Each structure stands twice: as C-alpha cells, then as structure tokens.
Amino acid sequence: PVVRDAYPEVAAASRGLLTAGATATVMSGSGAAVVGLCPSGATRAVRAAFAAAHPGTVVYETRILPPGGPLIG
C-alpha cells in the first residue's frame, strides 16, 4: 500500500491488470514490477487487453512451472 500510494502508476498498473482479467496482482522485487496472476489459458488475452489499455508499458508473459516440470520447453 505504501508504494501504491506514493506512485500512482503502480496502482494504475495493478488496477489495469485486474480490469484486463487477472485474478490478483502483486508487486515484486525492490523496484516497481507489478505481476498479474491469470487463470490458466487466459494469459494472452489478459496481456493483450492490458497492453492495449496501457501503450508504452513493457509487458512480459511467463508461466509457473509445476514441481519437477521441464526447465526448457
């Protein structure tokens, strides 16, 4: 809450991800990286909706591997 209050763009990114379809958001690291958690199969649609609403914002798409899952693939 402290960072979101001090930096409106962090709060906007979090709200934007939720509006785009993420089920939850968290801030990661010591910088202002905002992560959106998406339902399985919805990641690309959430990414596209967020990117369209926030042009110029860098967006990365990743996935969480299951325990013992492949590291490359």
Side-chain angles (χ1 to χ4, degrees):
V2 173
V3 172
R4 288 183 179 150
D5 291 343
Y7 297 92
E9 49 278 288
V10 172
S14 181
R15 281 192 310 273
L17 284 165
L18 293 170
T19 299
T23 55
T25 63
V26 294
M27 196 176 78
S28 178
S30 59
V34 179
V35 177
L37 303 175
C38 304
S40 182
T43 306
R44 289 200 173 128
V46 171
R47 178 182 187 215
F50 180 83
H54 299 270
T57 300
V58 178
V59 180
Y60 295 99
E61 179 183 331
T62 63
R63 63 186 171 109
I64 299 172
L65 298 174
L71 296 178
I72 300 175

